[in-house]
Amino acid sequence: MSSTHAPAATSRREQILKEAARLFAERGFHGVGVDEIGAAVGISGPGLYRHFAGKDAMLAELLVGISERLLEGGRIRAASGGDRPAAVLDALIEGHIDFALDDRPLITVHDRELDRLREADRKRVRRLQREYVELWVQVVREVYPACTEADARASVHAVFGLLNSTPHLSRPGALPGRTEMSELLHRLAKGAFAAVGADEGTSGSASGRACGGAGVPGGLSAPSDASGQSH
């Protein structure tokens, strides 16, 4: 989620959101006051109201915003992969890993605080998330043509659960370096999708039978040079 040469107002707004996400993740939405968020960015609590109507507005922008960025980034990666679905899947994985490693507080805030959003914002988040999932499902089925839609969707949700586990490994020293962790998560995600694509001879599971015959494409069995952009 990096930007360059951003206007000062945008930079301060993003700084406020980053600190709000961190504090919400650490103490919970109701455990953080506007004054504390202001202090974290070096301005008075009331000064925050020049940027946001209040904590509810910050929470909505955090959760709606990351859902929008994930979907937009996914669409860009899908479009850039052309007719190479295995490369697209690699790029989608890389993009989500960037999110999982760089925006860990947002994962925690989403899990704990989504229900605090206004109904309209909550529905918007859910709609964006469904579109993001279906984007992945389509790509998985292109990589593994024999895979059923239900199995592809289940595998996508399972991989999201794997990648989004990073906040639970936030204790100092629990994670390897960022590069090493990114590579590890990528191998794990690719392995999970490869298991979905395994033929009946290597898997007796429902997923193995449903996706049998697809094999493991070279794009998933070896490192890919497809690169994802940060959200």
Side-chain angles (χ1 to χ4, degrees):
M1 294 184 185
S2 61
S3 60
T4 58
H5 306 297
T10 301
S11 177
R12 174 51 62 93
R13 187 179 182 88
E14 290 175 351
Q15 184 182 15
I16 292 170
L17 287 172
K18 180 178 180 180
E19 290 303 317
R22 179 182 65 81
L23 290 168
F24 292 161
E26 290 177 357
R27 306 181 198 174
F29 180 75
H30 287 306
V32 178
V34 171
D35 288 342
E36 292 174 277
I37 298 172
V41 296
I43 62 177
S44 66
L48 289 180
Y49 292 107
R50 293 197 298 270
H51 301 277
F52 296 96
K55 287 198 309 176
D56 289 338
M58 294 180 208
L59 182 63
E61 185 154 339
L62 284 169
L63 298 185
V64 173
I66 190 56
S67 298
E68 290 175 337
R69 291 192 293 275
L70 283 171
L71 178 57
E72 179 184 7
R75 286 172 171 166
I76 291 172
R77 291 179 176 85
S80 65
D83 58 355
R84 300 174 297 144
V88 172
L89 186 57
D90 259 340
L92 287 175
I93 292 170
E94 289 175 8
H96 200 95
I97 288 172
D98 283 343
F99 158 66
L101 292 177
D102 298 337
D103 293 289
R104 281 181 280 166
L106 280 177
I107 298 174
T108 300
V109 173
H110 174 276
D111 289 346
R112 293 178 181 171
E113 314 292 358
L114 180 63
D115 288 343
R116 300 193 188 280
L117 292 182
R118 295 180 308 167
E119 183 178 4
D121 289 330
R122 188 168 61 251
K123 287 182 176 180
R124 186 177 179 188
V125 168
R126 292 301 193 193
R127 176 180 58 78
L128 292 165
Q129 291 174 340
R130 285 193 297 270
E131 291 181 27
Y132 184 56
V133 168
E134 294 310 308
L135 174 65
W136 281 64
V137 168
Q138 179 180 344
V139 175
V140 169
R141 297 195 72 198
E142 289 173 356
V143 175
Y144 300 106
C147 192
T148 67
E149 183 175 336
D151 281 358
R153 186 172 294 108
S155 71
V156 169
H157 281 292
V159 167
F160 285 174
L162 166 68
L163 299 181
N164 292 349
S165 67
T166 53
H168 304 294
L169 302 172
S170 59
R171 178 170 47 83
L175 293 177
R178 191 193 187 288
T179 299
E180 293 79 8
M181 190 63 191
S182 177
E183 292 173 351
L184 174 60
L185 288 172
H186 203 135
R187 290 197 302 272
L188 291 171
K190 289 171 71 173
F193 285 126
V196 176
D199 62 25
E200 189 169 357
T202 58
S203 174
S205 68
S207 292
R209 291 192 293 273
C211 302
V216 181
L220 290 184
S221 60
S224 168
D225 60 359
S227 62
Q229 305 168 1
S230 64
H231 296 290

mmCIF file with all atom_site columns, all heavy atoms in Angstrom, residues 183-199:
data_model
loop_
_atom_site.group_PDB
_atom_site.id
_atom_site.type_symbol
_atom_site.label_atom_id
_atom_site.label_alt_id
_atom_site.label_comp_id
_atom_site.label_asym_id
_atom_site.label_entity_id
_atom_site.label_seq_id
_atom_site.pdbx_PDB_ins_code
_atom_site.Cartn_x
_atom_site.Cartn_y
_atom_site.Cartn_z
_atom_site.occupancy
_atom_site.B_iso_or_equiv
_atom_site.pdbx_formal_charge
_atom_site.auth_seq_id
_atom_site.auth_comp_id
_atom_site.auth_asym_id
_atom_site.auth_atom_id
_atom_site.pdbx_PDB_model_num
ATOM 1   N N   . GLU A 1 183 ? 8.316  -16.102 1.076   1.00 0.00 ? 183 GLU A N   1
ATOM 2   C CA  . GLU A 1 183 ? 8.581  -17.300 0.278   1.00 0.00 ? 183 GLU A CA  1
ATOM 3   C C   . GLU A 1 183 ? 7.931  -18.531 0.896   1.00 0.00 ? 183 GLU A C   1
ATOM 4   O O   . GLU A 1 183 ? 7.391  -19.390 0.180   1.00 0.00 ? 183 GLU A O   1
ATOM 5   C CB  . GLU A 1 183 ? 10.088 -17.498 0.154   1.00 0.00 ? 183 GLU A CB  1
ATOM 6   C CG  . GLU A 1 183 ? 10.771 -16.425 -0.693  1.00 0.00 ? 183 GLU A CG  1
ATOM 7   C CD  . GLU A 1 183 ? 12.274 -16.522 -0.674  1.00 0.00 ? 183 GLU A CD  1
ATOM 8   O OE1 . GLU A 1 183 ? 12.810 -17.318 0.130   1.00 0.00 ? 183 GLU A OE1 1
ATOM 9   O OE2 . GLU A 1 183 ? 12.935 -15.804 -1.459  1.00 0.00 ? 183 GLU A OE2 1
ATOM 10  N N   . LEU A 1 184 ? 7.955  -18.620 2.218   1.00 0.00 ? 184 LEU A N   1
ATOM 11  C CA  . LEU A 1 184 ? 7.329  -19.752 2.898   1.00 0.00 ? 184 LEU A CA  1
ATOM 12  C C   . LEU A 1 184 ? 5.823  -19.759 2.669   1.00 0.00 ? 184 LEU A C   1
ATOM 13  O O   . LEU A 1 184 ? 5.232  -20.795 2.317   1.00 0.00 ? 184 LEU A O   1
ATOM 14  C CB  . LEU A 1 184 ? 7.639  -19.695 4.398   1.00 0.00 ? 184 LEU A CB  1
ATOM 15  C CG  . LEU A 1 184 ? 6.925  -20.740 5.276   1.00 0.00 ? 184 LEU A CG  1
ATOM 16  C CD1 . LEU A 1 184 ? 7.291  -22.147 4.838   1.00 0.00 ? 184 LEU A CD1 1
ATOM 17  C CD2 . LEU A 1 184 ? 7.255  -20.517 6.748   1.00 0.00 ? 184 LEU A CD2 1
ATOM 18  N N   . LEU A 1 185 ? 5.180  -18.609 2.871   1.00 0.00 ? 185 LEU A N   1
ATOM 19  C CA  . LEU A 1 185 ? 3.738  -18.538 2.657   1.00 0.00 ? 185 LEU A CA  1
ATOM 20  C C   . LEU A 1 185 ? 3.370  -18.862 1.210   1.00 0.00 ? 185 LEU A C   1
ATOM 21  O O   . LEU A 1 185 ? 2.351  -19.519 0.950   1.00 0.00 ? 185 LEU A O   1
ATOM 22  C CB  . LEU A 1 185 ? 3.226  -17.147 3.031   1.00 0.00 ? 185 LEU A CB  1
ATOM 23  C CG  . LEU A 1 185 ? 3.195  -16.801 4.521   1.00 0.00 ? 185 LEU A CG  1
ATOM 24  C CD1 . LEU A 1 185 ? 2.845  -15.334 4.720   1.00 0.00 ? 185 LEU A CD1 1
ATOM 25  C CD2 . LEU A 1 185 ? 2.219  -17.693 5.277   1.00 0.00 ? 185 LEU A CD2 1
ATOM 26  N N   . HIS A 1 186 ? 4.199  -18.412 0.286   1.00 0.00 ? 186 HIS A N   1
ATOM 27  C CA  . HIS A 1 186 ? 3.918  -18.692 -1.124  1.00 0.00 ? 186 HIS A CA  1
ATOM 28  C C   . HIS A 1 186 ? 3.989  -20.187 -1.398  1.00 0.00 ? 186 HIS A C   1
ATOM 29  O O   . HIS A 1 186 ? 3.116  -20.749 -2.071  1.00 0.00 ? 186 HIS A O   1
ATOM 30  C CB  . HIS A 1 186 ? 4.903  -17.945 -2.017  1.00 0.00 ? 186 HIS A CB  1
ATOM 31  C CG  . HIS A 1 186 ? 4.405  -17.719 -3.402  1.00 0.00 ? 186 HIS A CG  1
ATOM 32  N ND1 . HIS A 1 186 ? 4.522  -16.513 -4.049  1.00 0.00 ? 186 HIS A ND1 1
ATOM 33  C CD2 . HIS A 1 186 ? 3.764  -18.532 -4.280  1.00 0.00 ? 186 HIS A CD2 1
ATOM 34  C CE1 . HIS A 1 186 ? 3.991  -16.593 -5.255  1.00 0.00 ? 186 HIS A CE1 1
ATOM 35  N NE2 . HIS A 1 186 ? 3.529  -17.815 -5.413  1.00 0.00 ? 186 HIS A NE2 1
ATOM 36  N N   . ARG A 1 187 ? 5.005  -20.850 -0.863  1.00 0.00 ? 187 ARG A N   1
ATOM 37  C CA  . ARG A 1 187 ? 5.105  -22.300 -1.062  1.00 0.00 ? 187 ARG A CA  1
ATOM 38  C C   . ARG A 1 187 ? 3.924  -23.025 -0.443  1.00 0.00 ? 187 ARG A C   1
ATOM 39  O O   . ARG A 1 187 ? 3.379  -23.976 -1.028  1.00 0.00 ? 187 ARG A O   1
ATOM 40  C CB  . ARG A 1 187 ? 6.413  -22.821 -0.452  1.00 0.00 ? 187 ARG A CB  1
ATOM 41  C CG  . ARG A 1 187 ? 7.669  -22.393 -1.199  1.00 0.00 ? 187 ARG A CG  1
ATOM 42  C CD  . ARG A 1 187 ? 8.854  -23.260 -0.798  1.00 0.00 ? 187 ARG A CD  1
ATOM 43  N NE  . ARG A 1 187 ? 9.119  -23.227 0.632   1.00 0.00 ? 187 ARG A NE  1
ATOM 44  C CZ  . ARG A 1 187 ? 9.906  -22.325 1.235   1.00 0.00 ? 187 ARG A CZ  1
ATOM 45  N NH1 . ARG A 1 187 ? 10.470 -21.359 0.526   1.00 0.00 ? 187 ARG A NH1 1
ATOM 46  N NH2 . ARG A 1 187 ? 10.108 -22.382 2.535   1.00 0.00 ? 187 ARG A NH2 1
ATOM 47  N N   . LEU A 1 188 ? 3.515  -22.587 0.749   1.00 0.00 ? 188 LEU A N   1
ATOM 48  C CA  . LEU A 1 188 ? 2.383  -23.238 1.418   1.00 0.00 ? 188 LEU A CA  1
ATOM 49  C C   . LEU A 1 188 ? 1.090  -23.055 0.628   1.00 0.00 ? 188 LEU A C   1
ATOM 50  O O   . LEU A 1 188 ? 0.302  -23.996 0.470   1.00 0.00 ? 188 LEU A O   1
ATOM 51  C CB  . LEU A 1 188 ? 2.224  -22.667 2.831   1.00 0.00 ? 188 LEU A CB  1
ATOM 52  C CG  . LEU A 1 188 ? 3.330  -23.026 3.830   1.00 0.00 ? 188 LEU A CG  1
ATOM 53  C CD1 . LEU A 1 188 ? 3.168  -22.213 5.111   1.00 0.00 ? 188 LEU A CD1 1
ATOM 54  C CD2 . LEU A 1 188 ? 3.331  -24.515 4.136   1.00 0.00 ? 188 LEU A CD2 1
ATOM 55  N N   . ALA A 1 189 ? 0.855  -21.838 0.141   1.00 0.00 ? 189 ALA A N   1
ATOM 56  C CA  . ALA A 1 189 ? -0.361 -21.582 -0.629  1.00 0.00 ? 189 ALA A CA  1
ATOM 57  C C   . ALA A 1 189 ? -0.370 -22.378 -1.928  1.00 0.00 ? 189 ALA A C   1
ATOM 58  O O   . ALA A 1 189 ? -1.387 -22.982 -2.295  1.00 0.00 ? 189 ALA A O   1
ATOM 59  C CB  . ALA A 1 189 ? -0.489 -20.091 -0.921  1.00 0.00 ? 189 ALA A CB  1
ATOM 60  N N   . LYS A 1 190 ? 0.763  -22.381 -2.633  1.00 0.00 ? 190 LYS A N   1
ATOM 61  C CA  . LYS A 1 190 ? 0.845  -23.138 -3.876  1.00 0.00 ? 190 LYS A CA  1
ATOM 62  C C   . LYS A 1 190 ? 0.664  -24.627 -3.618  1.00 0.00 ? 190 LYS A C   1
ATOM 63  O O   . LYS A 1 190 ? 0.034  -25.342 -4.403  1.00 0.00 ? 190 LYS A O   1
ATOM 64  C CB  . LYS A 1 190 ? 2.178  -22.859 -4.565  1.00 0.00 ? 190 LYS A CB  1
ATOM 65  C CG  . LYS A 1 190 ? 2.268  -21.450 -5.140  1.00 0.00 ? 190 LYS A CG  1
ATOM 66  C CD  . LYS A 1 190 ? 3.663  -21.104 -5.621  1.00 0.00 ? 190 LYS A CD  1
ATOM 67  C CE  . LYS A 1 190 ? 4.026  -21.865 -6.863  1.00 0.00 ? 190 LYS A CE  1
ATOM 68  N NZ  . LYS A 1 190 ? 5.326  -21.397 -7.413  1.00 0.00 ? 190 LYS A NZ  1
ATOM 69  N N   . GLY A 1 191 ? 1.213  -25.100 -2.498  1.00 0.00 ? 191 GLY A N   1
ATOM 70  C CA  . GLY A 1 191 ? 1.037  -26.504 -2.149  1.00 0.00 ? 191 GLY A CA  1
ATOM 71  C C   . GLY A 1 191 ? -0.412 -26.847 -1.877  1.00 0.00 ? 191 GLY A C   1
ATOM 72  O O   . GLY A 1 191 ? -0.885 -27.924 -2.245  1.00 0.00 ? 191 GLY A O   1
ATOM 73  N N   . ALA A 1 192 ? -1.132 -25.926 -1.235  1.00 0.00 ? 192 ALA A N   1
ATOM 74  C CA  . ALA A 1 192 ? -2.551 -26.163 -0.956  1.00 0.00 ? 192 ALA A CA  1
ATOM 75  C C   . ALA A 1 192 ? -3.348 -26.267 -2.245  1.00 0.00 ? 192 ALA A C   1
ATOM 76  O O   . ALA A 1 192 ? -4.188 -27.168 -2.406  1.00 0.00 ? 192 ALA A O   1
ATOM 77  C CB  . ALA A 1 192 ? -3.101 -25.039 -0.080  1.00 0.00 ? 192 ALA A CB  1
ATOM 78  N N   . PHE A 1 193 ? -3.100 -25.359 -3.182  1.00 0.00 ? 193 PHE A N   1
ATOM 79  C CA  . PHE A 1 193 ? -3.816 -25.425 -4.448  1.00 0.00 ? 193 PHE A CA  1
ATOM 80  C C   . PHE A 1 193 ? -3.394 -26.643 -5.253  1.00 0.00 ? 193 PHE A C   1
ATOM 81  O O   . PHE A 1 193 ? -4.219 -27.254 -5.945  1.00 0.00 ? 193 PHE A O   1
ATOM 82  C CB  . PHE A 1 193 ? -3.589 -24.148 -5.257  1.00 0.00 ? 193 PHE A CB  1
ATOM 83  C CG  . PHE A 1 193 ? -4.351 -22.969 -4.743  1.00 0.00 ? 193 PHE A CG  1
ATOM 84  C CD1 . PHE A 1 193 ? -3.693 -21.781 -4.436  1.00 0.00 ? 193 PHE A CD1 1
ATOM 85  C CD2 . PHE A 1 193 ? -5.726 -23.024 -4.556  1.00 0.00 ? 193 PHE A CD2 1
ATOM 86  C CE1 . PHE A 1 193 ? -4.390 -20.679 -3.962  1.00 0.00 ? 193 PHE A CE1 1
ATOM 87  C CE2 . PHE A 1 193 ? -6.429 -21.925 -4.077  1.00 0.00 ? 193 PHE A CE2 1
ATOM 88  C CZ  . PHE A 1 193 ? -5.761 -20.754 -3.773  1.00 0.00 ? 193 PHE A CZ  1
ATOM 89  N N   . ALA A 1 194 ? -2.126 -27.035 -5.173  1.00 0.00 ? 194 ALA A N   1
ATOM 90  C CA  . ALA A 1 194 ? -1.679 -28.231 -5.867  1.00 0.00 ? 194 ALA A CA  1
ATOM 91  C C   . ALA A 1 194 ? -2.390 -29.464 -5.326  1.00 0.00 ? 194 ALA A C   1
ATOM 92  O O   . ALA A 1 194 ? -2.704 -30.390 -6.076  1.00 0.00 ? 194 ALA A O   1
ATOM 93  C CB  . ALA A 1 194 ? -0.161 -28.379 -5.728  1.00 0.00 ? 194 ALA A CB  1
ATOM 94  N N   . ALA A 1 195 ? -2.657 -29.472 -4.006  1.00 0.00 ? 195 ALA A N   1
ATOM 95  C CA  . ALA A 1 195 ? -3.375 -30.603 -3.410  1.00 0.00 ? 195 ALA A CA  1
ATOM 96  C C   . ALA A 1 195 ? -4.793 -30.685 -3.956  1.00 0.00 ? 195 ALA A C   1
ATOM 97  O O   . ALA A 1 195 ? -5.323 -31.774 -4.181  1.00 0.00 ? 195 ALA A O   1
ATOM 98  C CB  . ALA A 1 195 ? -3.393 -30.465 -1.888  1.00 0.00 ? 195 ALA A CB  1
ATOM 99  N N   . VAL A 1 196 ? -5.412 -29.538 -4.175  1.00 0.00 ? 196 VAL A N   1
ATOM 100 C CA  . VAL A 1 196 ? -6.750 -29.525 -4.763  1.00 0.00 ? 196 VAL A CA  1
ATOM 101 C C   . VAL A 1 196 ? -6.702 -30.092 -6.173  1.00 0.00 ? 196 VAL A C   1
ATOM 102 O O   . VAL A 1 196 ? -7.640 -30.747 -6.630  1.00 0.00 ? 196 VAL A O   1
ATOM 103 C CB  . VAL A 1 196 ? -7.323 -28.090 -4.794  1.00 0.00 ? 196 VAL A CB  1
ATOM 104 C CG1 . VAL A 1 196 ? -8.666 -28.048 -5.499  1.00 0.00 ? 196 VAL A CG1 1
ATOM 105 C CG2 . VAL A 1 196 ? -7.479 -27.555 -3.392  1.00 0.00 ? 196 VAL A CG2 1
ATOM 106 N N   . GLY A 1 197 ? -5.607 -29.854 -6.884  1.00 0.00 ? 197 GLY A N   1
ATOM 107 C CA  . GLY A 1 197 ? -5.493 -30.325 -8.254  1.00 0.00 ? 197 GLY A CA  1
ATOM 108 C C   . GLY A 1 197 ? -4.950 -31.727 -8.384  1.00 0.00 ? 197 GLY A C   1
ATOM 109 O O   . GLY A 1 197 ? -4.777 -32.219 -9.498  1.00 0.00 ? 197 GLY A O   1
ATOM 110 N N   . ALA A 1 198 ? -4.636 -32.393 -7.245  1.00 0.00 ? 198 ALA A N   1
ATOM 111 C CA  . ALA A 1 198 ? -4.067 -33.731 -7.312  1.00 0.00 ? 198 ALA A CA  1
ATOM 112 C C   . ALA A 1 198 ? -5.057 -34.703 -7.930  1.00 0.00 ? 198 ALA A C   1
ATOM 113 O O   . ALA A 1 198 ? -6.272 -34.596 -7.740  1.00 0.00 ? 198 ALA A O   1
ATOM 114 C CB  . ALA A 1 198 ? -3.674 -34.194 -5.908  1.00 0.00 ? 198 ALA A CB  1
ATOM 115 N N   . ASP A 1 199 ? -4.548 -35.690 -8.663  1.00 0.00 ? 199 ASP A N   1
ATOM 116 C CA  . ASP A 1 199 ? -5.475 -36.646 -9.297  1.00 0.00 ? 199 ASP A CA  1
ATOM 117 C C   . ASP A 1 199 ? -5.861 -37.718 -8.303  1.00 0.00 ? 199 ASP A C   1
ATOM 118 O O   . ASP A 1 199 ? -5.343 -37.811 -7.196  1.00 0.00 ? 199 ASP A O   1
ATOM 119 C CB  . ASP A 1 199 ? -4.865 -37.241 -10.562 1.00 0.00 ? 199 ASP A CB  1
ATOM 120 C CG  . ASP A 1 199 ? -3.590 -38.030 -10.308 1.00 0.00 ? 199 ASP A CG  1
ATOM 121 O OD1 . ASP A 1 199 ? -3.407 -38.517 -9.177  1.00 0.00 ? 199 ASP A OD1 1
ATOM 122 O OD2 . ASP A 1 199 ? -2.795 -38.149 -11.255 1.00 0.00 ? 199 ASP A OD2 1
#
